[in-house]
Amino acid sequence: MPDQTGLEALAQQLSEALAGSVLATSHAHGRAEIQIAPEQNVAVLAWLRAQGYSFLASLHGVDYYPHEPRLGVIYELLDMRNVDRVSVKARVSTDEPSIASVLELWPGADFPEREVYDMFGVRFDGHPDLRRILMPEDYEGHPQRRDFPVGGEPVLFTYNETDGYGADR
Amino acid sequence: MSALSDYRRREESITMSSEPVGMGETHELLTLNIGPHHPATHGVLRLIATLEGEVVRDIKPIIGYVHTGIEKTAEQKSYWKAIPVVERMDYLSYYFNAMAYCGAVETLLGIEVPPRAQYLRIIHLELNRIMSHLVWLGTSALDLGAMSMFWYCFRERETILDLFEMSSGQRMHTRYFQVGGVIEDIPAGFARNVQRFIDEMPSRADQYADLLEKNEILLSRLRDTCVLDEQTLLGWGVTGPLLRAAGNPWDLRKAAPYSSYDHFDFRIPVGTVGDNYDRFRVRHAELYESTKIIQQALNGLPEGPHIVEDRKVALPPRHELATSMESLIHHFKLVTEGFRVPEGECYYPIESPRGELGCFVRADGSAKPARVHMRDPSFVNLQATAPMVKDAYIADLIATLAMVDPVLGGVDR
């Protein structure tokens, strides 16, 4: 990862190229992170890709409950030539959880974006096939959110098959 | 030339260009459901394949059948109690899951793992890599019709599982890696048994090669099938042996060494074309390289503690509990509450047998992780199956799926 100065320089260049895109930077635990404005995510990632961070290593969601905006979408970018990593984070609120899809940059973002949608309810605009991927199609709620309860799943037996989750199928 | 190229020539004489659909009975598209319970899908994977005759035009993987909410479960456990849970994701490379998770937590805590623990980790990681590749080789050969390979591979795998049992008491999901090191030092006789195994392993790998390399069925089903070039693979996020088979020597053990991988002399096998045969050869060659790493780690195993001395993180030795009040308190606090990790986020990538396994951990200052995410290579690599098998035969789809080597426990988590 770039060091503290390198990260600041990168963020500076980024905010010069795309005004208002950088919200904050952080450099801790060997991880350089740029927090960006969610509406500019495709432009920022395309810019970083052109800078050499051309491999999308990981895309995942985080719930920052109780902090606002609650949800975070994190892109871990990798520069294979210089063995350099940078993380890009976009925060969206649970009221309007939507962000543009980066499928046009990396087709491999398909499954991860569907996973974040499934688990956190973030809608990826422009994703052609945004369906649940790990949970059942008729599942309600987004289980990785911090306020989603654990252990509340009723198990269907013969005696309760007429009520409860999935009974109307 | 040989009968092999004859077969390929006959195959190539068949036109695979797309033709208008719905022009009569011969040009009909058939949707075929494969799985979720099918031996060739290597787990509970369902594929919706669109076929035109015998040619695959599109596949849609449907996953989630073994989703068990491990990431959610890990948020309910204290840090060290989450280790056995994350180990169960990719059930063939449990040491790697534990390594990625422990590495992330150690980075957040700022712990330096003792050298002996790092070497012990490497011995187990590389044994695990061999074990994972053996399962892949046995089951893949089974898919391609070579049944005896399965027994040979599982014979060697059994030896490795015995070694795991010797060091940790468990054959699978060993929970051997702890935050800060490993749970116990290796027992007497372990080094001798590992030595016996790695003396034997290269000749065993030679035997596998002898059995498969000259097998015409295997060669004709693997060579020049389902090629995908390096740039496309990178776009799909593919890492590991699949990427190396296409000629990109990206391996995190070399590129960004963790756990003292930079102390060892080993090579990264790469392919040239990126077909199924290269994928097979790269993994097979990795068996030898892992053996070399284990040999060096065993020879150079440093003396010293097997886990950090920091009592706030690692359990005190058992014998101290009878004599030291302070140790008893530490033990009690660790077992009941666990240790607290300062706020922060960490992404810790390692090279698993299938590619980049990255563990993202967010700590909120409490004794439980606020978020654990595993970037599992199987999950990402599985997407690349569709572009690989497009316009290939359905038989090549089965071979490709075997060579992609997805572990559905890792895909679904």
Side-chain angles (χ1 to χ4, degrees):
Chain A
M1 62 292 311
D3 54 11
Q4 183 88 51
T5 345
L7 174 68
E8 294 305 332
L10 188 71
Q12 185 65 36
Q13 286 170 14
L14 177 57
S15 56
E16 277 164 18
L18 300 158
S21 58
V22 180
L23 299 184
T25 58
S26 87
H27 192 275
H29 309 295
R31 183 164 179 273
E33 185 188 270
I34 303 176
Q35 193 181 332
I36 59 157
E39 55 275 7
Q40 295 207 47
N41 69 333
V42 176
V44 168
L45 292 168
W47 187 84
L48 282 168
R49 194 172 85 146
Q51 300 300 306
Y53 296 97
S54 56
F55 186 76
L56 180 68
S58 179
L59 194 171
H60 46 255
V62 189
D63 185 356
Y64 288 97
Y65 179 83
H67 305 289
E68 288 291 339
R70 256 181 65 183
L71 303 176
V73 179
I74 299 182
Y75 306 86
E76 307 278 354
L77 300 183
L78 167 66
D79 179 351
M80 281 189 177
R81 198 159 292 279
N82 300 317
V83 196
D84 207 5
R85 283 176 193 273
V86 70
S87 312
V88 176
K89 187 201 283 174
R91 296 274 291 262
V92 291
S93 72
T94 42
D95 307 325
E96 194 53 54
S98 84
I99 194 166
S101 166
V102 295
L103 269 187
E104 54 182 279
L105 299 175
W106 295 283
D110 181 6
F111 277 16
E113 284 188 351
R114 281 178 64 189
E115 189 197 339
V116 175
Y117 164 71
D118 192 357
M119 293 299 164
F120 293 95
V122 179
R123 283 193 311 277
F124 288 87
D125 302 328
H127 192 294
D129 188 24
L130 197 63
R131 289 178 292 123
R132 287 190 178 274
I133 185 165
L134 296 178
M135 303 303 288
E137 277 168 30
D138 55 352
Y139 195 81
E140 283 175 24
H142 300 287
Q144 280 283 358
R145 288 192 179 180
R146 294 285 279 163
D147 51 3
F148 192 90
V150 176
E153 197 75 19
V155 181
L156 282 188
F157 294 107
T158 329
Y159 75 90
N160 63 354
E161 65 183 350
T162 50
D163 46 59
Y165 162 71
D168 50 343
R169 272 182 290 178
Chain B
M1 282 201 289
S2 65
L4 165 66
S5 50
D6 222 35
Y7 173 79
R8 274 288 161 221
R9 221 177 5 260
R10 268 184 286 129
E11 248 185 358
E12 276 157 13
S13 69
I14 302 166
T15 171
M16 297 231 263
S17 60
S18 68
E19 286 170 47
V21 178
M23 304 286 286
E25 285 171 6
T26 47
H27 293 300
E28 213 171 291
L29 283 180
L30 171 76
T31 306
L32 179 70
N33 178 65
I34 307 173
H37 298 285
H38 189 283
T41 57
H42 291 230
V44 200
L45 169 68
R46 184 173 165 212
L47 295 172
I48 308 285
T50 308
L51 305 176
E52 189 178 341
E54 227 184 313
V55 178
V56 179
R57 292 301 184 202
D58 189 25
I59 59 161
K60 282 228 177 301
I62 300 192
I63 59 176
Y65 290 97
V66 282
H67 174 64
T68 41
I70 289 179
E71 290 171 3
K72 184 78 174 173
T73 312
E75 288 174 16
Q76 320 301 322
K77 310 256 175 222
S78 56
Y79 281 93
W80 68 288
K81 287 179 184 169
I83 298 171
V85 190
V86 295
E87 270 189 339
R88 277 155 179 76
M89 290 185 176
D90 183 342
Y91 45 77
L92 285 183
S93 57
Y94 29 94
Y95 279 105
F96 291 89
N97 298 336
M99 178 72 213
Y101 174 75
C102 290
V105 177
E106 283 154 8
T107 313
L108 286 170
L109 284 165
I111 294 182
E112 185 66 37
V113 179
R116 186 176 176 85
Q118 296 192 7
Y119 273 57
L120 287 177
R121 281 181 173 183
I122 283 185
I123 291 173
H124 285 89
L125 286 173
E126 293 304 320
L127 281 172
N128 194 171
R129 190 184 308 275
I130 296 178
M131 186 279 259
S132 171
H133 281 355
L134 285 174
V135 175
W136 157 79
L137 186 60
T139 52
S140 302
L142 193 63
D143 285 350
L144 302 174
M147 190 157 212
S148 50
M149 274 311 295
F150 188 76
W151 315 124
Y152 294 128
C153 288
F154 270 59
R155 177 185 60 193
E156 267 70 72
R157 174 178 183 262
E158 207 56 23
T159 320
I160 297 179
L161 291 185
D162 287 345
L163 288 170
F164 289 167
E165 189 177 7
M166 195 174 177
S167 66
S168 66
Q170 301 285 331
R171 293 160 64 78
M172 293 181 78
H173 308 304
T174 53
R175 207 179 152 279
Y176 185 64
F177 291 3
Q178 297 296 309
V179 175
V182 296
I183 187 79
E184 262 184 335
D185 212 338
I186 46 173
F190 180 79
R192 194 190 61 232
N193 285 7
V194 173
Q195 186 63 49
R196 195 182 299 150
F197 171 73
I198 54 179
D199 286 344
E200 188 185 79
M201 191 58 214
S203 66
R204 295 294 190 200
D206 289 345
Q207 290 174 7
Y208 307 151
D210 290 344
L211 273 166
L212 296 174
E213 290 279 275
K214 299 190 179 73
N215 183 328
E216 199 179 302
I217 299 171
L218 190 104
L219 291 179
S220 57
R221 286 193 65 179
L222 294 186
R223 269 200 187 145
D224 300 327
T225 53
C226 301
V227 184
L228 210 56
D229 66 288
E230 182 198 337
Q231 286 309 317
T232 319
L233 285 171
L234 286 173
W236 283 99
V238 174
T239 45
L242 295 177
L243 181 62
R244 292 195 282 275
N248 186 330
W250 179 255
D251 188 318
L252 285 168
R253 290 175 294 171
K254 280 277 189 213
Y258 50 92
S259 192
S260 23
Y261 263 112
D262 46 341
H263 296 187
F264 305 111
D265 174 33
F266 62 102
R267 290 198 246 173
I268 306 296
V270 286
T272 49
V273 195
D275 58 354
N276 278 337
Y277 180 71
D278 277 350
R279 291 165 194 150
F280 158 71
R281 290 293 292 156
V282 163
R283 283 209 184 83
H284 182 264
E286 279 182 11
L287 293 176
Y288 298 96
E289 298 304 317
S290 293
T291 318
K292 284 202 302 205
I293 299 175
I294 299 170
Q295 180 68 68
Q296 293 169 50
L298 209 56
N299 290 346
L301 188 63
E303 292 298 323
H306 61 273
I307 194 160
V308 284
E309 302 282 3
D310 187 357
R311 293 279 190 268
K312 301 288 178 208
V313 174
L315 286 174
R318 188 73 202 159
H319 64 86
E320 275 186 21
L321 298 188
T323 53
S324 162
M325 188 63 205
E326 204 174 330
S327 289
L328 195 65
I329 295 169
H330 278 137
H331 187 274
F332 179 77
K333 284 298 283 180
L334 275 175
V335 172
T336 51
E337 193 199 346
F339 50 83
R340 294 184 180 204
V341 177
E343 267 184 62
E345 290 175 0
C346 179
Y347 178 76
Y348 193 85
I350 62 168
E351 186 73 24
S352 98
R354 275 159 275 280
E356 174 170 327
L357 176 73
C359 186
F360 173 86
V361 175
R362 171 179 169 243
D364 59 358
S366 73
K368 292 173 182 172
R371 170 83 168 123
V372 178
H373 177 266
M374 280 279 186
R375 184 264 192 216
D376 198 279
S378 306
F379 180 70
V380 183
N381 293 358
L382 184 63
Q383 304 179 90
T385 323
M388 276 178 196
V389 300
K390 191 166 170 11
D391 300 336
Y393 287 107
I394 188 155
D396 292 341
L397 161 67
I398 300 300
T400 307
L401 207 58
M403 292 303 138
V404 169
D405 187 27
V407 171
L408 271 295
V411 173
D412 290 346
R413 285 158 286 152

